Amino acid sequence: MSESRSPIINRRGFVAAGAAGAVALGMGGSIGRARAAQPVKVGLLLPLSGSLAREGQSCKRGAEVTPALLADLGMPVQLMIADTETNIDTARTRAEKLIADGAQVLIGAFESAQTLAVAQVCEQRGVPLVINIAAAPNITEQGFKTVFRNFPTAPRLVGEGLSLMKDLFKASGVTPSKAVFMHNNDTFGSAMAGAVGKIFPTLDMPFAIAETISYDGAARDLAVEVGKAKATGADLLILVAHGEDSIKVIREMVKQRFEPKAIVSPGSPGMYEVQFYKTLGKYADYSMTNLPWINPKSKMSQALLAAFAKAYPDALFEMNVGYTFEAILIAADAAKRAGSPEPKALLEVLPATNITDHVMIGGAITFDAKGQNNNTRSATIQNFGGKPLVVLPAEAAEAKPVFPVPGWQQRG
Amino acid sequence: MSVDLVNQIITGLLTGLVYSLLALGLSVIFGVVRVVNFAHGEMTALAMYGAWALSTYLDLDPLVGMPVVVVVMFAAGYLLQRGLVDSFVGKPEHMQFILMVSLAIIMVNSSLLGFGPDAHGIQVSYGFDTYEVGPLLIDKVRLLAAGASLAISLMLMAFFRLTLMGKAIRACADNLVGAKVIGLDVKRLYAVTFGIGTACVGAAGALLSMLIDVMPPTGPELTLLAFIIVIVGGLGSMTGALLGGMLIGVSEVLAGYFLMPSMKSMFSFAILILVLVLRPQGLLGAKR
Amino acid sequence: MKQRLALLALVAAFALAPLAAGPYLLSVLMLVLTMAYLGQAWNIMMGFAGQLSLGHSLYGGLGAYVAAALFVQFGIPGALGLVAAIAVAVAAGAVIGALGFRFGVKGVYFALLTIAFAEFTRVLFEHIPGLGGPGGLFLPVASRAGVDLLYLRGHPLMFYYLILAMTVGIFLLCRRLLESRLGFYWLAVREDQEAAAALGINVFRAKMWAVMLSAGLTAAGGVFFAFYYNTLFPTQAFGMDRSISIILAPIVGGLGTLFGPILGALILTPLGETITWGTEALGFNAAGLKQLFYGLALLGIVKFLPDGVWPWLRRRLGWDGDEDGSA
């Protein structure tokens, strides 16, 4: 960790910073080049080990390419990374430790339980917390004054995810008649399922949900689950997975020859991850996920993508990376506007955050009275040749959506 | 009964047979050495990583790589028993528990350090093949894995019944004092037994690696599964473990089919509770 | 006498710690106290009466959920919810104890029975939507200043002194128990059940007392946890990891001793923190390394001090003949 304590200045960082610099000069606009200010000390809390290690480490990769990019925009940042071990006791203690070690703003913590533990520490200590990822609505309903979330709540994710499905049907002129909804019964999955239950009836969707199947993510095998889904005769599979369970689902679908018109996730991880492509090969293609995604047309995104590809040639750029970058950007932007990295100064300016130039698709980053950013927006990404490409909304699209998708046997 | 359900039950039986082999390892270790291996699932996960490495770097099919994994796991088990576990034989269960928990922590985090947090899966060329038998779809990988698991289990049973060493090990289990009196090298036999147990784990791990992807948290989940099977079948009974595996495989399918799939493990735990209370020797175990 | 002085010094140190220690150190001390409290509660069942429970998260989780649900759904103050929480956990303990002891489920089998109940309950709670299911039960965290012991809302320092008082209280209770007739029964049952029965001890009743007391006290710890963290998730509350963390301190410190759970907690939590600090200071930041060292340290302790640290330390200090020596 001593490495991450100091601003990351290595060869990679310099190259990345160079790329970002070129962009910054071209951008002008909201974030220009300023004289070197005092760096803001950002304490990052992530589950780097334990059951959420995969996601936590993906966030960490995003964080590690960030300081060089921001430094070039005149927003120096010093990262301090701590491992919550996917444990709320540890999350709380590490939050206290980061603050004791001088962190001026905390960022984290990928998951709702740990985030809430950290939020309480931040509230007590008067240190701002910028949430990179955590979807439970309750977090911003607690009346916290120090908590800012640049991530959609589960209901928002689901609402956007479902309306994007409508857009998809409109764009392709084909509409499924019956869907089956499968979800992992973990914290995130059940929050999403609850939101689907509430929001689906209000959206006037063109199809009905024939059956909702909740499964245990720890189950070694999802054969029965997929068999049950197939038996419904649905021609659309809506899937909320945790990650690797999406592989199990698709594998069983191929084996049991369950071929709906499409597999769409209304905003869950899994189907755009490296492991998904590696394990499933051609069967990974055409799966769709409707989730907040990096805007491929934004210049800042391109700089981030380039820096990321250089630093981690084997890792896939995903949502975790983008939101972790943005969380740090929000902290750095506040420090710049406040003219001081002190927590108190940051807290004064954070509610007025208005970042128009950022990396994720969606409007400017602003916070409502509860500290929630309501301008996040989902996109539809579809897998082509082992890569996720944006297909909707049209203004950010990199490819045309394919729907209905080819059957398993019809793939080269 | 619908074709669908028959299909699922066959799947459950086949998967259950692979679990059986896993449970067999646990049963052998407990039945003879009397050590409760709470790190059983973590050991399995290591074996799965081994099979994955052989497949990825040497291009060995898991079925071909299995003997290598088995030999390595046997050696590891033998040495572990000699070097560490032996001093815990006959100690209270909570000591053994903590010993195994610390080994489990070490194994889980070594695999996190060594292989990273991502899931590792093996792609065999026939990975997505299915046999069509009338209206039934039978998964090729599961069939192969179940067949291999059954064959290994039968070989192991033959070993314990027919060979001199197998008989000597059984003598240690049945009457430790007697075994010592007639001059058996109990320590060595214990180490061999532990090795056989971990070798089962190795074989089961190699087979499982074709069915499920491995990541650091895979291990702990498998430990509880192995315990359920062994208790239901009868601790120390080899046919019990075979039967228990199939039973749990099928019961999870039925619970998933008729109830909510996310509740299927609850069903397994309920069976475990019932068996513990009503028939603690298990379905096929001898009366304690 | 020496032990009593040492204990008083320890309590005084904990009581005065907030004057000197920063919030980080206090949060570590809080973990130490929680671990010592829960360990002591578990110790009653295993250390005193010899009944191995590996599913103790069940009682903590039940306690936490009952009190939290009463507060969230009906606004019932935490201190009143505590009573209901303890009642539910004691009932659960009584059921498991009765099933286990009546049907002669012993040793490993009993331990597996406790795990099975905890895991069963975990999955069950994942399917109770009224309690948040896997999405979690959230307590509103409105008041963060002040002290409200009735509603269990307030400043972290209130929680610190609360858990300190609970830990001291359970220590005194356990000492009283060990000196009581019940305590002697337990020790007799632990050493040799048949002999105890032959002496006319009602073994079943003695064991039931142990499991019910232990369950109720663990539930109180669970209530504390719920109101301190303000979130509850089935995987966390009932998971195997929590059960393991409950039993580590008494086993490392010295099973069946009064000081064991405290000493174990004083060793383990700072050990984890020190390893984190050490790996960082040496420039290793690989995730998992800390737990790897922790596992190795744990292994070393069980291998070389199988009876726990306290019995060994007591011998080294020459306190064996002291008044609390038997404990």
Side-chain angles (χ1 to χ4, degrees):
Chain A
M1 188 170 318
S2 63
E3 183 200 23
S4 40
R5 281 275 156 78
S6 55
I8 298 168
I9 301 175
N10 49 25
R11 189 170 308 171
R12 274 182 202 154
F14 268 121
V15 177
V23 175
L25 287 174
M27 271 185 328
S30 64
I31 304 165
R33 193 178 271 274
R35 70 185 166 79
Q38 206 185 343
V40 55
K41 290 183 186 155
V42 174
L44 196 62
L45 287 149
L46 295 169
L48 301 176
S49 57
S51 58
L52 294 174
R54 196 170 51 89
E55 293 83 351
Q57 297 207 8
S58 155
C59 294
K60 180 171 174 248
R61 285 194 283 267
E64 288 190 328
V65 297
T66 304
L69 291 170
L70 292 182
D72 231 72
L73 299 172
M75 294 190 282
V77 167
Q78 185 184 337
L79 277 190
M80 305 153 78
I81 301 177
D83 178 9
T84 64
E85 301 169 22
T86 321
N87 174 324
I88 68 169
D89 289 330
T90 314
R92 196 174 175 118
T93 316
R94 295 262 73 81
E96 293 280 18
K97 182 74 164 56
L98 283 174
I99 296 172
D101 289 346
Q104 291 154 325
V105 48
L106 296 191
I107 286 175
F110 183 77
E111 178 255 6
S112 298
Q114 298 167 69
T115 305
L116 202 68
V118 174
Q120 292 177 55
V121 172
C122 286
E123 193 69 6
Q124 196 65 44
R125 308 294 310 281
V127 172
L129 168 68
V130 181
I131 296 172
N132 62 339
I133 293 165
N138 312 54
I139 297 171
T140 39
E141 300 296 331
Q142 297 273 10
F144 290 131
K145 296 274 173 274
T146 57
V147 176
F148 301 87
R149 170 158 62 181
N150 179 39
F151 190 79
T153 61
R156 188 174 170 82
L157 265 177
V158 167
E160 296 246 311
L162 290 176
S163 35
L164 276 166
M165 284 181 208
K166 275 195 198 165
D167 296 348
L168 173 71
F169 307 149
K170 207 181 288 165
S172 57
V174 183
T175 302
S177 56
K178 195 154 76 164
V180 57
F181 174 39
M182 290 181 77
H183 72 90
N184 188 331
N185 203 35
D186 61 357
T187 305
F188 176 73
S190 78
M192 293 291 281
V196 167
K198 276 203 195 94
I199 293 169
F200 188 85
T202 67
L203 280 183
D204 189 27
M205 297 299 288
F207 57 83
I209 294 183
E211 191 168 351
T212 298
I213 299 171
S214 81
Y215 60 86
D216 180 0
R220 286 137 312 254
D221 142 8
L222 296 174
V224 199
E225 288 80 350
V226 169
K228 249 184 142 165
K230 186 188 173 191
T232 62
D235 56 355
L236 178 70
L237 171 65
I238 302 177
L239 176 65
V240 171
H242 168 84
E244 69 293 341
D245 45 338
S246 56
I247 300 174
K248 295 182 200 167
V249 171
I250 305 288
R251 199 187 269 147
E252 278 303 324
M253 286 177 72
V254 178
K255 287 179 181 177
Q256 301 191 20
R257 308 197 182 153
F258 175 29
E259 298 179 326
K261 285 200 176 79
I263 303 158
V264 188
S265 155
S268 73
M271 298 198 294
Y272 52 82
E273 289 175 13
V274 175
Q275 205 53 43
F276 188 78
Y277 300 120
K278 262 200 212 159
T279 309
L280 293 172
K282 60 184 176 183
Y283 299 120
D285 278 349
Y286 305 112
S287 296
M288 284 181 248
T289 310
N290 297 347
L291 84 170
W293 196 252
I294 190 156
N295 184 353
K297 312 234 156 134
S298 136
K299 285 206 172 140
M300 195 188 271
S301 303
Q302 286 160 7
L304 176 58
L305 283 167
F308 188 84
K310 210 155 233 147
Y312 304 101
D314 298 326
L316 190 80
F317 190 97
E318 48 181 317
M319 184 191 74
N320 299 338
V321 175
Y323 268 125
T324 305
F325 171 87
E326 283 202 347
I328 301 171
L329 170 70
I330 291 166
D333 167 75
K336 190 178 174 190
R337 283 185 294 118
S340 153
E342 290 307 313
K344 229 180 137 190
L346 295 178
L347 277 175
E348 267 169 36
V349 301
L350 269 168
T353 297
N354 186 357
I355 304 176
T356 49
D357 206 341
H358 55 107
V359 299
M360 303 299 281
I361 293 172
I365 301 175
T366 59
F367 297 108
D368 67 8
K370 291 172 178 169
Q372 172 69 35
N373 177 13
N374 294 315
N375 295 334
T376 58
R377 209 174 144 199
S378 293
T380 299
I381 55 164
Q382 189 167 24
N383 297 334
F384 294 103
K387 253 188 165 163
L389 296 180
V390 176
V391 293
L392 283 171
E395 64 268 23
E398 300 165 287
K400 280 216 170 308
V402 173
F403 178 83
V405 307
W408 306 122
Q409 308 304 323
Q410 292 140 27
R411 301 181 182 196
Chain B
M1 209 164 22
S2 70
V3 174
D4 237 18
L5 187 58
V6 177
N7 245 332
Q8 297 301 339
I9 289 177
I10 292 173
T11 305
L13 275 176
L14 294 178
T15 320
L17 269 173
V18 184
Y19 297 162
S20 293
L21 184 55
L22 181 67
L24 208 55
L26 186 69
S27 193
V28 165
I29 294 174
F30 181 81
V32 180
V33 191
R34 297 270 145 197
V35 165
V36 191
N37 186 9
F38 278 99
H40 206 69
E42 286 80 356
M43 291 178 178
T44 314
L46 283 192
M48 290 172 76
Y49 278 116
W52 174 84
L54 289 175
S55 153
T56 308
Y57 298 116
L58 299 178
D59 209 17
L60 285 183
D61 186 286
L63 288 173
V64 181
M66 185 165 70
V68 181
V69 178
V70 166
V71 169
V72 172
M73 288 297 286
F74 176 85
Y78 186 96
L79 293 174
L80 189 66
Q81 168 70 23
R82 281 249 122 148
L84 188 63
V85 180
D86 196 55
S87 55
F88 287 81
V89 172
K91 289 273 170 63
E93 282 101 12
H94 71 270
M95 298 292 306
Q96 299 176 356
F97 181 71
I98 296 292
L99 167 73
M100 290 304 172
V101 163
S102 34
L103 284 177
I105 295 175
I106 292 169
M107 285 189 267
V108 167
N109 289 289
S110 307
S111 49
L112 177 65
L113 285 163
F115 296 93
D118 292 322
H120 287 65
I122 295 178
Q123 297 88 54
V124 281
S125 55
Y126 48 87
F128 292 94
D129 293 358
T130 41
Y131 295 118
E132 266 180 79
V133 185
L136 299 178
L137 287 172
I138 295 172
D139 176 10
K140 185 172 176 182
V141 180
R142 279 203 184 86
L143 193 65
L144 281 174
S149 169
L150 191 62
I152 295 166
S153 305
L154 293 176
M155 272 158 55
L156 201 61
M157 285 184 199
F159 167 81
F160 278 112
R161 289 202 199 284
L162 304 178
T163 67
L164 205 58
M165 182 174 263
K167 287 178 185 165
I169 291 174
R170 275 170 56 213
C172 291
D174 293 341
N175 186 346
L176 185 56
V177 179
K180 281 183 178 158
V181 168
I182 60 166
L184 291 178
D185 183 352
V186 173
K187 269 189 197 290
R188 185 169 149 265
L189 288 174
Y190 273 6
V192 170
T193 310
F194 205 94
I196 290 173
T198 50
C200 285
V201 161
L207 296 176
L208 275 174
S209 70
M210 302 197 292
L211 296 176
I212 58 178
D213 305 325
V214 59
M215 47 197 286
T218 306
E221 288 152 17
L222 291 174
T223 301
L224 283 179
L225 174 77
F227 270 101
I228 295 176
I229 293 172
V230 165
I231 296 291
V232 170
L235 250 181
S237 156
M238 301 188 62
T239 31
L242 268 182
L243 186 76
M246 291 189 278
L247 201 74
I248 291 299
V250 173
S251 82
E252 289 213 338
V253 162
L254 293 179
Y257 196 84
F258 292 108
L259 304 169
M260 218 19 157
S262 51
M263 292 171 96
K264 66 186 185 187
S265 64
M266 194 166 113
F267 200 68
S268 301
F269 287 114
I271 294 180
L272 176 60
I273 292 171
L274 286 178
V275 170
L276 278 171
V277 170
L278 299 177
R279 200 180 159 83
Q281 72 272 31
L283 297 179
L284 292 184
K287 198 111 186 111
R288 282 185 289 143
Chain C
M1 203 57 212
K2 279 176 193 157
Q3 287 192 33
R4 186 165 290 186
L5 283 176
L7 186 69
L8 281 174
L10 193 62
V11 173
F14 269 104
L16 296 175
L19 294 177
Y24 160 64
L25 197 55
L26 276 187
S27 73
V28 174
L29 291 178
M30 195 115 146
L31 287 182
V32 170
L33 289 170
T34 320
M35 206 173 182
Y37 175 86
L38 291 172
Q40 195 74 268
W42 178 82
N43 202 24
I44 294 176
M45 195 166 153
M46 176 61 197
F48 298 170
Q51 305 304 309
L52 179 56
S53 166
L54 297 181
H56 237 55
S57 62
L58 173 68
Y59 310 120
L62 279 177
Y65 263 100
V66 168
L70 287 174
F71 177 61
V72 172
Q73 307 279 353
F74 308 107
I76 293 174
L80 296 181
L82 177 70
V83 179
I86 290 176
V88 170
V90 168
V95 169
I96 295 173
L99 279 177
F101 305 146
R102 273 282 178 250
F103 289 89
V105 186
K106 287 179 221 141
V108 188
Y109 295 85
F110 183 73
L112 286 170
L113 185 70
T114 59
I115 294 178
F117 268 103
E119 287 290 303
F120 179 90
T121 315
R122 174 179 65 79
V123 186
L124 182 71
F125 271 68
E126 285 180 350
H127 290 87
I128 307 179
L131 295 178
L137 183 63
F138 294 79
L139 283 75
V141 260
S143 139
R144 273 169 293 268
V147 173
D148 187 345
L149 280 172
L150 178 62
Y151 275 89
L152 294 177
R153 302 329 268 147
H155 195 271
L157 265 185
M158 177 193 98
F159 285 99
Y160 177 81
Y161 282 110
L162 186 61
I163 189 70
L164 178 59
M166 284 165 73
T167 310
V168 173
I170 200 172
F171 179 91
L172 296 175
L173 175 72
C174 284
R175 205 166 79 154
R176 177 61 63 83
L177 280 171
L178 272 186
E179 288 163 356
S180 72
R181 186 181 293 257
L182 187 58
F184 289 117
Y185 288 173
W186 283 341
L187 298 188
V189 170
R190 183 182 76 185
E191 295 312 322
D192 188 338
Q193 201 161 305
E194 268 91 59
L199 286 174
I201 294 173
N202 186 334
V203 174
F204 178 77
R205 188 180 297 170
K207 290 200 284 191
M208 284 301 278
W209 270 112
V211 66
M212 284 158 64
L213 267 169
S214 181
L217 289 165
T218 307
V223 175
F224 173 84
F225 184 90
F227 284 78
Y228 178 56
Y229 280 100
N230 296 306
T231 49
L232 282 174
F233 293 85
T235 29
Q236 244 171 44
F238 298 105
M240 197 66 204
D241 285 352
R242 184 146 301 270
S243 292
I244 293 174
S245 77
I246 290 177
I247 75 171
L248 283 181
I251 292 182
V252 165
L255 194 70
T257 65
L258 285 171
F259 272 102
I262 301 172
L263 190 63
L266 271 173
I267 292 169
L268 288 171
T269 312
L271 178 73
E273 291 299 308
T274 312
I275 295 174
T276 308
W277 174 82
T279 46
E280 280 172 19
L282 291 173
F284 300 115
N285 57 356
L289 199 62
K290 176 227 157 170
Q291 290 97 317
L292 182 64
F293 282 127
Y294 187 83
L296 286 169
L298 204 55
L299 191 64
I301 294 174
V302 280
K303 172 90 178 128
F304 297 109
L305 296 172
D307 296 326
V309 178
W310 175 239
W312 168 82
L313 189 66
R314 197 169 54 194
R315 267 195 308 279
R316 296 295 303 256
L317 292 171
W319 287 3
D320 266 352
D322 215 22
E323 55 174 336
D324 290 327
S326 63

